[in-house]
Amino acid sequence: MWSDFFTTSVIVATLASAVRFATPFLLAALGEAVGQRSGVLNLGVEGVMLCGAFTAYYVRLNPSGWGWAGGMATAILAALAVGLCMGLLYAWMTLVMHAEQGISGIGIFLFGLGATDLLFQKQVGVPLPISGLRPIRIPLLGDIPHVGDILFNHNVLVYLAYVLVPVITLMVNRTTFGLNIRAVGETPEAADTLGVNVNLIRLGAILIGNALAALAGAALVMNTNIFQQNLTAGQGFIAVALVYFGAWRPGGVMAGALLFGLVSSTVLQLKTLGIVSGAASALTAMAPALLTIVVLVIVSRRIGQPSALTRPFDRNA
Amino acid sequence: MKRNPIGVLLALIAALALLASACGSDDGADSADEVDSGDTAESTSAESSASAGPLRVGIVAPSASNDLAFTQSIVDAVNAVAGDRELDIAVTDGTFIVEDAAAAIRGYAADGVDLVIAHGSQYGGPLQEIAPDFPDTAFAWGTAVDTFGLPNVAAYTVRADQGGYVNGTLAAQLSESGVLGVVGPIEVGDAKLYVDGFVAGAKAQDPNVTVNVNYIESFSDVALASEAATAHIQNGADVLTGTAQMVVGATGVAGPAGALWFGTQSNQTPLGPDFVVASQVYHWEVVLSEMMAEIDAGTFGGEVYTLTLENGGLVIEFNDGAGADSSVIDGAQATIDGIIDGSITTSDG
């Protein structure tokens, strides 16, 4: 039975599935990592993902109804716009009103869950399929045996997610904006004395985080070609956990997302091939979450979070 | 007194979130308005009787009323019954959390609803506690076969294996690769019956066919169902099936991948007009009509009702748009007849 799993085709399919599976987690976690590096925790990632997912789905559901604007790019841009709007709302709550970040994030989550549920029921009703993003095989790279199928035959949002890893790494570590993000996340008072506009930097980080969370929702919809109430099913919370898993570094976040995706896709393959079934099947289904908890426990003992995480900044205080 | 802006903000957010959540999950009255807004409303208002009044029915179900699966099957059925008799219908859907469902069940009973339908096998525990407190209310629980010995609890179940068997024979004939894929939720209840029936039907049709079954251990994870379907296709499956409300994730990838799909619970043709071949549809109205007649006669429970192909509670609805070979579809009727006359055994169930 196990020999069925250890065949080239199954292993290639499992690894390709892991890359695809990890994409929404990676996008959302990258954005959350940027936000947390600036000192802002957003537990509302799940709600923003849902809003982004519903927006992309709604635009794609009836593309002709939107005229020239009913294309794929419009759906993704609309999701991004919704993410930015939710980012502005969250920034107002946390930066202007200095609301407690944990509670505010849960409020955003509940709002996203309820709003998309309501909008779906009233505006859509039956979960009809849409035409999502098709895989694009990258010329030359996609022809490399096995590796091409694993890494270079995915839709554009999958590629974008992985391209964003070095981009965000460079932004955080090599740009003035990134330096300021780290500064306001560690010692906002010191950054302020050096002339850094703490809240403006945090606003930028929040907007990046929310835009990527909404994009993660759009990626989920474009991969599954469907929307349903609570589509994300906890993925946003797992993305927050992956930020800790990755020690607030884009590379670490990617490693965590890929590990989570790999365990999930391996479990799926094992069950699909009938290698695990019955009680073992139920137990293996817990493996991804269990692994995340174990690694979080280990990582959290070794690495400290940004010093000013969840701490609001008020220069007049 | 100085007003705390943070407190005001938090209160505002909490109120907004609660409002959105409450609207999203449909409380009874809101859903009742929606359910009643179509033909049902016309029939109920037109037939309004001055004597006994309409039978008040409250439905508590785990997913959305329009999920094209388990919850929709009971909502459609109650609406179908409302075409024949006067009903006042309210729906509380989206109660995946059992405690929420328990509150809704108790709320309907306390409001004087005549028949409370707890549509989910997971609701048995709370129902067993609540029903004795309301002896004048009839409770129906499904899919289940246990009435807890209570005189006001009826159970209803479905021989989902029968339609699963028919779908399985069809799938085995239509598959070119000889590999079929099943996306199941958790290995319990009518989901297990359906999957077991599907496997038995496929194997009876073609002993060499491979049926890969994947229970994803979730009734609601659409993304996981999508990846499970992808895994099936990558392993050679060209015909898929699945049960429970998360299968929309599987159908979302089946069609674009060129695979055929067989549905169950509700007619799933809208999910893929060009690739959903057939659906086993639950017509709960068959047992609901019996149940309501018993309530009219003063018997509030104690019975176990079962949907079968024989009693017309199960119907295989075909979709011509899928382009399946018509001779294969025609042959399905012989299988259905065989199950009805007992010459074909679908499972031990």
Side-chain angles (χ1 to χ4, degrees):
Chain A
M1 291 286 276
W2 277 92
S3 59
D4 293 340
F5 180 76
F6 291 106
T7 62
T8 304
S9 62
V10 170
I11 288 175
V12 166
T14 304
L15 293 174
S17 174
V19 170
R20 195 171 49 244
F21 213 107
T23 300
F25 297 105
L26 178 56
L27 282 167
L30 282 174
E32 177 65 9
V34 173
Q36 290 197 17
R37 289 296 288 267
S38 77
V40 180
L41 169 72
N42 183 5
L43 291 179
V45 172
E46 176 94 353
V48 182
M49 282 181 74
L50 280 168
C51 290
F54 177 78
T55 305
Y57 173 77
Y58 190 64
V59 173
R60 286 299 295 163
L61 185 61
N62 183 19
S64 58
W66 296 79
W68 59 269
M72 197 70 74
T74 308
I76 294 168
L77 289 173
L80 281 172
V82 166
L84 290 172
C85 288
M86 295 192 74
L88 286 173
L89 174 65
Y90 189 66
W92 177 76
M93 292 158 65
T94 56
L95 303 182
V96 179
M97 304 304 290
H98 296 165
E100 205 282 322
Q101 293 177 8
I103 300 296
S104 308
I106 291 171
I108 290 282
F109 157 61
L110 290 173
F111 174 77
L113 179 66
T116 53
D117 189 351
L118 176 67
L119 288 169
F120 181 76
Q121 287 192 37
K122 301 302 180 192
Q123 298 295 319
V124 182
V126 174
L128 298 173
I130 60 167
S131 176
L133 287 167
R134 295 299 176 89
I136 300 169
R137 186 176 285 276
I138 304 288
L140 298 177
L141 293 173
D143 297 331
I144 301 171
H146 310 317
V147 174
D149 289 328
I150 295 168
L151 298 178
F152 303 112
N153 188 24
H154 296 286
N155 72 51
V156 67
L157 289 180
V158 177
Y159 297 130
L160 177 65
Y162 290 92
V163 166
L164 280 175
V165 175
V167 169
I168 290 178
T169 302
L170 285 173
M171 183 198 78
V172 170
N173 296 321
R174 294 279 187 270
T175 67
T176 305
F177 179 56
L179 176 65
N180 288 340
I181 284 177
R182 285 182 285 142
V184 302
E186 294 295 339
T187 51
E189 294 80 8
D192 182 57
T193 59
L194 293 172
V196 176
N197 187 330
V198 174
N199 282 342
L200 189 63
I201 295 296
R202 284 184 169 178
L203 170 65
I206 289 172
L207 292 179
I208 290 171
N210 279 262
L212 288 181
L215 194 61
L220 191 57
V221 155
M222 293 302 179
N223 187 44
T224 58
N225 303 324
I226 202 85
F227 182 89
Q228 198 180 54
Q229 291 99 326
N230 195 20
L231 176 81
T232 47
Q235 292 196 7
F237 292 105
I238 294 169
V240 175
L242 288 174
V243 174
Y244 288 77
F245 185 109
W248 294 270
R249 294 176 177 83
V253 166
M254 182 181 74
L258 277 173
L259 183 60
F260 191 87
L262 181 61
V263 174
S264 299
S265 61
T266 301
V267 168
L268 271 179
Q269 282 287 358
L270 292 176
K271 290 198 286 188
T272 299
L273 296 170
I275 296 170
V276 295
S277 58
S281 170
L283 287 173
T284 52
M286 292 190 293
L290 204 61
L291 181 76
T292 306
I293 292 169
V294 169
V295 176
L296 276 176
V297 168
I298 296 169
V299 168
S300 64
R301 294 170 66 90
R302 291 194 298 111
I303 299 171
Q305 63 187 27
S307 303
L309 185 61
T310 74
R311 188 148 55 86
F313 174 74
D314 183 358
R315 68 183 314 179
N316 299 319
Chain B
M1 187 174 71
K2 188 179 177 183
R3 185 171 291 176
N4 181 356
I6 298 174
V8 173
L9 175 68
L10 289 179
L12 183 66
I13 294 163
L16 198 61
L18 285 172
L19 177 68
S21 297
C23 291
S25 58
D26 264 16
D27 61 20
D30 186 38
S31 293
D33 290 343
E34 190 181 352
V35 170
D36 284 347
S37 63
D39 296 339
T40 308
E42 291 170 19
S43 67
T44 50
S45 58
E47 296 167 17
S48 207
S49 116
S51 54
L55 188 77
R56 295 182 63 195
V57 180
I59 303 169
V60 181
S63 49
S65 298
N66 45 17
D67 64 353
L68 288 175
F70 188 65
T71 296
Q72 183 168 336
S73 70
I74 195 73
V75 174
D76 286 352
V78 173
N79 280 324
V81 175
D84 297 329
R85 61 172 294 163
E86 216 176 343
L87 296 180
D88 181 3
I89 306 163
V91 181
T92 298
D93 59 1
T95 53
F96 273 112
I97 299 170
V98 174
E99 288 75 15
D100 293 347
I105 292 167
R106 185 175 286 279
Y108 279 136
D111 286 348
V113 168
D114 300 305
L115 171 61
V116 180
I117 301 172
H119 193 58
S121 50
Q122 66 271 39
Y123 301 155
L127 191 63
Q128 194 173 5
E129 288 183 9
I130 295 167
D133 296 341
F134 300 93
D136 295 330
T137 301
F139 294 89
W141 174 44
T143 54
V145 293
D146 190 356
T147 64
F148 312 117
L150 296 171
N152 62 334
V153 174
Y156 56 88
T157 187
V158 54
R159 284 290 306 275
D161 52 299
Q162 294 187 336
Y165 189 96
V166 177
N167 282 354
T169 60
L170 286 167
Q173 292 175 76
L174 295 173
S175 173
E176 293 177 5
S177 67
V179 181
L180 314 178
V182 182
V183 181
I186 297 174
E187 200 171 354
V188 293
D190 66 318
K192 176 172 167 46
L193 280 175
Y194 174 76
V195 173
D196 290 350
F198 184 88
V199 174
K203 291 287 185 184
Q205 183 66 40
D206 179 1
N208 296 319
V209 77
T210 299
V211 187
N212 293 326
V213 178
N214 190 339
Y215 284 102
I216 65 168
E217 308 301 335
S218 169
F219 283 97
S220 58
D221 197 331
V222 174
L224 203 56
S226 172
E227 276 302 322
T230 304
H232 280 309
I233 290 165
Q234 287 169 336
N235 284 296
D238 58 355
V239 181
L240 301 180
T241 190
T243 178
Q245 44 276 16
M246 80 301 167
V247 295
V248 293
T251 57
V253 297
L260 297 173
W261 178 266
F262 285 87
T264 185
Q265 298 181 329
S266 281
N267 188 329
Q268 295 177 344
T269 299
L271 289 173
D274 55 347
F275 65 88
V276 175
V277 179
S279 302
Q280 166 177 243
V281 182
Y282 294 179
H283 286 279
W284 296 112
E285 59 267 31
V286 172
V287 296
L288 286 173
S289 296
E290 285 182 48
M291 209 180 287
M292 290 176 192
E294 292 288 336
I295 293 170
D296 291 341
T299 303
F300 288 179
E303 290 285 323
V304 177
Y305 301 87
T306 304
L307 290 189
T308 64
L309 288 171
E310 295 95 307
N311 65 20
L314 289 179
V315 175
I316 307 298
E317 296 184 8
F318 297 98
N319 169 31
D320 295 336
D325 190 330
S326 59
S327 63
V328 174
I329 301 299
D330 293 342
Q333 190 56 49
T335 307
I336 294 170
D337 293 340
I339 293 171
I340 291 174
D341 67 24
S343 60
I344 294 175
T345 305
T346 56
S347 76
D348 295 336

